[in-house]
Amino acid sequence: MSTKLEDIVRDATIEVDAVNKKENRTLYKKREPIFPKRAVGQFRRLKWLIMIITLSIYYLVPFLRWDRGPGAPDQAVLIDFPGNRFYFFFIELWPQEVYYITGILIVAALLLFFFTSLFGRVWCGYSCPQTVWTDLFIAVERWVEGDRNARIKLHRAPWSLEKIGKYCLKHTIWLLIGIATGGAWVFYFADAPTLFVELFTLQADIMAYSFVALLTFTTYTLGGLAREQVCIYMCPWPRIQGAMMDEDSLQVTYKLDRGEPRGRAKKAHDDESFGDCIDCKQCVVVCPMGIDIRDGSQLECINCALCIDACDAIMDKMGTPRGLIAYDTDANLARRIAGKAEQFTLLRMRTVVYAFAILFVCAVMSYVLVTRSSLDLNVLRDRNPIFVKLSDGSIRNGYTVKILNKERSVRQFAVSVDGLPVETLKINDIEDNGAAPIVEVKPDSLRSVHLFISVNEADLASASEPVTITVTDTENGNSVTYDSVFIGPEK
Amino acid sequence: MAGTPRKDEISGVDTTGHKWDDIEELNNPLPRWWLWVFYASVLWSVVYWIAMPAWPGISDYTKGMLGYSQRSIVQNELAAVKASRAEWDQQILNSSLEEIVKDDTLNQYALAAGKAAFGDNCSGCHGSGAQGGKGYPNLNDDHWLWGGSLEDIHTTIAYGIRSTHEDTRVNDMSAFLRDEILEKSEISDVAEYVMSLSGTATDAQAARRGEELFVDNCVACHSEGGLGNRDLGAPNLADSLWLYGGDKATIVQSISYGRKGVMPTWEARLDPVTVKALSIYVHALGGGE
Ligand code: SF4
Ligand code: SF4
């Protein structure tokens, strides 16, 4: 038994230090390349699955269709800059409604806070584009150059035809991924199938090509060359999220209470005074960030959980239980050291507050979305002259009335005025003949008309009277109002 | 003081060798990515100098190889706008005023053009809001000397009033005192009568005396009851709006010395499209008939 264990330990052990080991970490050193070893296990499988899902969403969504009737684009998700419109399935936003996007961003931020306070850096570990694309780029590198040892060997080897060939192949594939990334990006801003053909037949706009080039460049640099440097030096999120986490947040943790004191020779001989960590450094070599999880929780750790897979594999071989490295909380670590039972507290003040904040913003947003009108009204009172005296002694005020019809059909609107003893009402040349004047607005457009209200001077109670202007759809009765004032001579 | 660089024991970083008051400077290099971005920017600036206008000279500047110039861009844009206007202008030219007003897009275009032209040419006398002033009609109200239909307004703008145009609108309000047609006291009576038409007279007897004089001297132009005559540009004296003022002193002044307001002909100065646009704009100010 003991000789077998010894073999396992010897086979598994790699004499390395983490590239970004805590002690030697400095802000100013040159990047040392990291050659993460392939990890196998449940978390790696989960990550592959999430990669497939997220990349599919990114690449396929522009090609989803959504019928909006004639004259409107049939792309499900479209940011239409020339048309000043944002389409998202059944939602159509006008430029003055960008606050919906603010709302969506607020919900996204709150969700991030919520999940971070519960499960730590799950965003970083599984779904951040930087993580997903870097993962993809490393997979390509491994496919071309082989696993960790082969890659290190190739890196150290002098330049040869083989080395050049492999490097060329790797960088070409990376660039192709970059082009595909940039290519998919521009599909969100134009009709995707049309643009797809245009891009390949060199018919597309120079802007489209510029953006493809820009995103190719950033994808290639960030995913292929900079990798962990982005997380460590460029991304603000690792700095911010500390505020969302507490001692009950889950994070990838080396259970030092169980692992220490680490030691390989002794452990191999079943020495009870040693912990379960055999110091094989498998967790170090799989780490894409080049750190040693056993140094404790670190800003550099993106919680990708690959070290969990690596360590579990070793534990299985050693016949010790899995989970020496696992999702754990600081509170539980302290509890175990104090000899108490583990306890996971999901319902905490901050998680509850985040959850309510999310529900609140979602409720407000859906309320606004459901009740939003397909009709908008804006009224500007004429200021020059402030009012006009007419030959019969009455006072007239002028208003520029802007009616926005957001529906894709022609609509008729009745314009009426409340709060004043109106004598005559006139819109452009349409005189009020008892009923409210009717204004016709073309589909999906804004119409600006001039409204004249005249009131007998004797009927005016003061020099400035409040007045409400109402616009009503003659067909379905939908209406909006606007409060303004009517100004006459000083009394 | 410069010294020799050495390794600092505490931080493990090289010093620059600079030392003042026993304080040494550490040689912490800039992050590499920052340096590369910096080098790239330097390179870019050189390319930029060559390609784009960059360096000022005494009277000129380096033009750059791409021939970029904001001035020519603006000129091109203006030319493009002008060209796009030509099509509209043609439509305005070919349509009657009524047709333009009925067509919402054409109307909006005419209103915008008219507004700009009004600011440039008319606001000097009529005010920026067309509210007028003493002797300069307010164009927002419904009181018109020569008529407020689109055609009337167009004629007034095109030919002017007492202008140099041969078809100019013209009339003659006599100077009743200067030309010794009426006595001072008679003029006062007529003024009282005129004021009584809009209910502002103070002396009923004088007004009654004035009525006779009014019938003899004024009705020919101002019509019975002082309702005015647009064919002659004779103002309605019975409403509550006054071009020169409705107080007695001003009315006496008007009768005594006459009024001879002038408006230039715009046909010679503005192109027909602008005159049309102006007519539509003025008509839409609220008083249009
Ligand atoms: S320490 Fe583990 S969880 Fe953290 S980045 Fe490295 S492999 Fe991922
Ligand atoms: S924590 Fe696990 S993988 Fe890491 S050195 Fe110890 S036994 Fe090996």
Side-chain angles (χ1 to χ4, degrees), chain B residues 109-249:
Chain B
Y109 178 81
L111 286 175
K115 185 172 182 169
F118 190 91
D120 289 347
N121 301 289
C122 317
S123 60
C125 293
H126 288 284
S128 59
Q131 71 274 39
K134 187 173 174 180
Y136 301 104
N138 182 345
L139 304 175
N140 294 283
D141 61 29
D142 55 346
H143 182 107
W144 298 96
L145 295 173
W146 298 92
S149 72
L150 280 164
E151 279 310 326
D152 290 339
I153 295 171
H154 188 264
T155 307
T156 307
I157 295 175
Y159 301 159
I161 298 165
R162 291 183 194 84
S163 73
T164 50
H165 196 281
E166 55 180 13
D167 291 328
T168 183
R169 294 188 186 281
V170 66
N171 61 16
D172 189 21
M173 164 80 187
S174 313
F176 287 87
L177 183 69
R178 202 179 50 214
D179 297 346
E180 294 171 0
I181 306 169
L182 292 174
E183 296 288 316
K184 260 195 177 159
S185 62
E186 291 173 322
I187 289 175
S188 169
D189 291 347
V190 173
E192 282 293 339
Y193 173 70
V194 167
M195 288 168 76
S196 76
L197 294 174
S198 50
T200 52
T202 46
D203 187 339
Q205 259 186 338
R208 234 172 287 127
R209 285 199 301 275
E211 181 169 8
E212 235 168 87
L213 292 160
F214 189 85
V215 171
D216 291 347
N217 295 286
C218 315
V219 160
C221 293
H222 287 284
S223 305
E224 223 164 296
L227 293 174
N229 183 345
R230 285 180 174 179
D231 293 336
L232 302 169
N236 182 342
L237 305 172
D239 64 20
S240 60
L241 296 177
W242 299 93
L243 180 53
Y244 291 90
D247 58 301
K248 186 164 176 191

Side-chain angles (χ1 to χ4, degrees), chain A residues 18-20 29-35 228-229:
Chain A
V19 167
N20 287 326
K29 75 174 186 192
K30 185 171 186 258
R31 174 177 189 256
E32 272 180 58
I34 298 167
F35 303 93
E228 79 288 346
Q229 304 279 310

Side-chain angles (χ1 to χ4, degrees), chain A residues 130 221-223 226-236 238-239:
Chain A
Q130 174 64 25
T221 333
L222 300 183
R227 290 188 188 170
E228 79 288 346
Q229 304 279 310
V230 176
C231 308
I232 302 178
Y233 299 109
M234 288 165 72
C235 178
R239 277 99 191 143

Side-chain angles (χ1 to χ4, degrees), chain A residues 28 384-385 391 396 426 447-448, chain B residues 29 128-129 140 142 240 285-286:
Chain A
Y28 302 105
N384 185 14
S391 56
R396 194 189 72 205
K426 203 170 85 167
R447 184 163 177 206
S448 173
Chain B
S128 59
N140 294 283
D142 55 346
S240 60
L285 285 171

